[in-house]
Amino acid sequence: MSVIVTGADGYLGWPTALRIGSRTDERVVLVDNFARREWVESIGSTSAVPIASIDDRIARASDELGVENLSLVEGDLTDRAFVDRLLSVHEPETIIHTAAQPSAPYSQINGERANYTQHNNLQATRNLLWGLHEGGLEDTHFVETTTTGVYGAPEFPIPEGGATMENQGERDDVPFPAMAGSWYHLTKSHDAANMRLAHKQFGIPISDVRTAIVYGTETDETAADPRLATRFDFDYYFGVVVHRFCAQAVAGYPMTVYGRGEQRKPFVALEDAVEGLARLAINGPNARPDDHVVYNQVTRAISIVEIAETIADVAGEFGLDVEVEHFENPREEDETHKMEIENDRYDDLIGGQSTTFEEGVRQILGTLVDHEETVTTHEDRFLPGVLTDGE
């Protein structure tokens, strides 16, 4: 038996694979087609932190961490024949599915990228679910990182998965309605529905991990050697807001808050995101469901203004003088929305938050100061602009 980690070359997938490998003797199969590197390059950006080749990463995991159970299978999950071979050969006990085109802004660039995002993300998930069913592997625990973006921005506290609907005096628990705000987020809404259907029809145990905005540059494992580092994107299309603000601070740019910036967004530190997925993978206490379970992978909601102010304060520790400026918001969103989101199930899974937001910002700035030249060389990517392929 084995654990399969898809998207294992990615920002979240790589440190998750490392942690799982360090905690189990089972084979950990890393699956990726390395498209993330191509997507980022196509919009003229790069990872601020140099990324070693996957072969070098696996070798360093052995040398530095004593992790000997990682192996690579390169392939495209949208190819059904590849997926069927992957599953039949490795017969996974658990699949941690982190592979996806993860950028909402990238999916919004044009129709071609919207179509690509939807085909890539949905086809991969369907292939895996049907592959498990038709391969007689319905006992495999299927864990996917979807997104808290499927919830949209309702004016009431967001439950951990479902909702209660009342109509004409009758009440029932129903899946939370899809309220996605981008072509990317909608793929995860569809994935959530497909996973629920796969559990109902095939009996596959499902953990739908609705991942918040993940921030941070390292985990205990990736910090052991520079060649174990995970990627760090800071551009408009692939860099989450915390990363982009920190990069702007290092480059001497004012942090660009869109609109009033009082809206709160859900966040989780990389360390806390990796820990949850690792616990689900190795079937820790109460981690493997018999049913379909939804986790809100979030530790707290933070306003955009609070993010900028916290970064500005911590930046002073590094001798950086940072200003906060407000720009017209290019996105359609409520700039004062006070998001509340329940996370009791996920908090119980990881045993409580391990990293505060301020600690995470300090870690990011410390890393980026060491890679200031890369950040400043690509500072034109902080804001949306003309793409390198002319689109």
Side-chain angles (χ1 to χ4, degrees):
M1 301 294 285
S2 65
V3 176
I4 288 177
V5 180
T6 71
D9 187 54
Y11 170 67
L12 181 57
W14 169 243
T16 297
L18 273 182
R19 179 151 304 174
I20 295 170
S22 70
R23 291 188 182 176
T24 182
D25 294 328
E26 291 184 4
R27 174 60 51 186
V28 181
V29 182
L30 283 58
V31 180
D32 211 299
N33 64 353
F34 306 102
R36 172 66 173 266
R37 302 188 188 214
E38 297 175 4
W39 299 329
V40 175
E41 183 179 357
S42 76
I43 55 90
S45 192
T46 187
S47 170
V49 178
I51 315 166
S53 71
I54 195 67
D55 291 336
D56 285 347
R57 283 173 155 184
I58 292 173
R60 298 313 296 174
S62 174
D63 294 342
E64 296 294 330
L65 303 176
V67 176
E68 306 279 358
N69 53 346
L70 305 182
S71 60
L72 170 69
V73 178
E74 183 175 353
D76 188 342
L77 295 172
T78 66
D79 180 348
R80 178 60 194 275
F82 166 75
V83 171
D84 289 346
R85 289 194 302 272
L86 174 73
L87 298 178
S88 65
V89 169
H90 295 284
E91 296 184 333
E93 182 178 4
T94 305
I95 295 175
I96 305 295
H97 183 35
T98 71
Q101 190 296 99
S103 167
Y106 184 87
S107 75
Q108 299 287 117
I109 290 173
N110 54 30
E112 179 183 353
R113 284 178 169 87
N115 286 342
Y116 173 82
T117 299
Q118 296 232 331
H119 170 75
N120 180 79
N121 295 2
L122 292 169
Q123 186 76 354
T125 301
R126 286 195 304 265
N127 282 347
L128 287 165
L129 293 170
W130 273 97
L132 291 175
H133 170 58
E134 295 183 340
L137 297 168
E138 290 97 336
D139 289 337
T140 297
H141 181 194
F142 188 81
V143 183
E144 179 176 348
T145 53
T146 55
T147 173
T148 52
V150 302
Y151 295 119
E155 294 299 330
F156 50 81
I158 297 172
E160 204 157 15
T164 300
M165 180 176 289
E166 181 172 344
N167 186 34
Q168 297 182 5
E170 300 294 332
R171 296 166 61 90
D172 199 359
D173 292 330
V174 297
F176 196 94
M179 300 173 69
S182 77
W183 297 96
Y184 156 70
H185 287 105
L186 196 57
T187 68
K188 294 303 184 176
S189 298
H190 287 311
D191 274 358
N194 285 340
M195 285 190 287
R196 184 177 294 275
L197 184 62
H199 170 72
K200 181 178 180 180
Q201 292 190 347
F202 308 148
I204 298 171
I206 299 285
S207 290
D208 179 351
V209 182
R210 299 188 175 174
T211 306
I213 300 168
V214 186
Y215 66 92
T217 57
E218 62 187 32
T219 62
D220 290 342
E221 294 81 9
T222 65
D225 186 278
R227 284 165 289 186
L228 292 175
T230 194
R231 66 177 305 111
F232 185 94
D233 294 306
F234 57 92
D235 59 88
Y236 171 81
Y237 293 101
F238 288 95
V240 300
V241 62
V242 180
H243 294 179
R244 194 170 66 251
F245 279 3
C246 286
Q248 288 175 318
V250 169
Y253 274 58
M255 284 179 286
T256 53
V257 175
Y258 294 138
R260 295 172 62 177
E262 296 173 5
Q263 68 272 35
R264 297 200 304 180
K265 302 287 186 180
F267 288 86
V268 62
L270 179 62
E271 173 65 32
D272 291 326
V274 165
E275 180 63 19
L277 295 176
R279 293 193 181 197
L280 290 169
I282 59 177
N283 299 323
N286 304 316
R288 182 184 178 89
D290 295 322
D291 201 348
H292 173 280
V293 180
V294 174
Y295 296 90
N296 285 341
Q297 191 182 45
V298 54
T299 49
R300 63 169 294 200
I302 314 171
S303 75
I304 305 301
V305 165
E306 181 184 351
I307 291 169
E309 291 174 348
T310 300
I311 292 172
D313 289 342
V314 176
E317 300 174 13
F318 297 87
L320 302 172
D321 184 14
V322 182
E323 296 182 358
V324 178
E325 293 187 2
H326 291 257
F327 288 77
E328 182 178 353
N329 195 342
R331 302 166 182 166
E332 293 184 10
E333 58 183 343
D334 180 356
E335 297 169 358
T336 63
H337 182 254
K338 306 301 182 185
M339 173 175 284
E340 295 182 43
I341 184 166
E342 297 174 3
N343 68 337
D344 290 348
R345 190 177 295 130
Y346 191 74
D347 191 64
D348 289 344
L349 176 68
I350 63 174
Q353 179 181 5
S354 68
T355 305
T356 68
F357 182 67
E358 185 176 277
E359 291 168 343
V361 167
R362 187 171 291 111
Q363 177 196 94
I364 295 168
L365 289 174
T367 299
L368 292 186
V369 165
D370 292 337
H371 300 285
E372 179 181 356
E373 183 177 353
T374 301
V375 173
T376 55
T377 300
H378 295 83
E379 61 189 23
D380 61 325
R381 297 291 86 190
F382 291 155
L383 300 174
V386 178
L387 302 183
T388 57
D389 60 6
E391 294 184 18

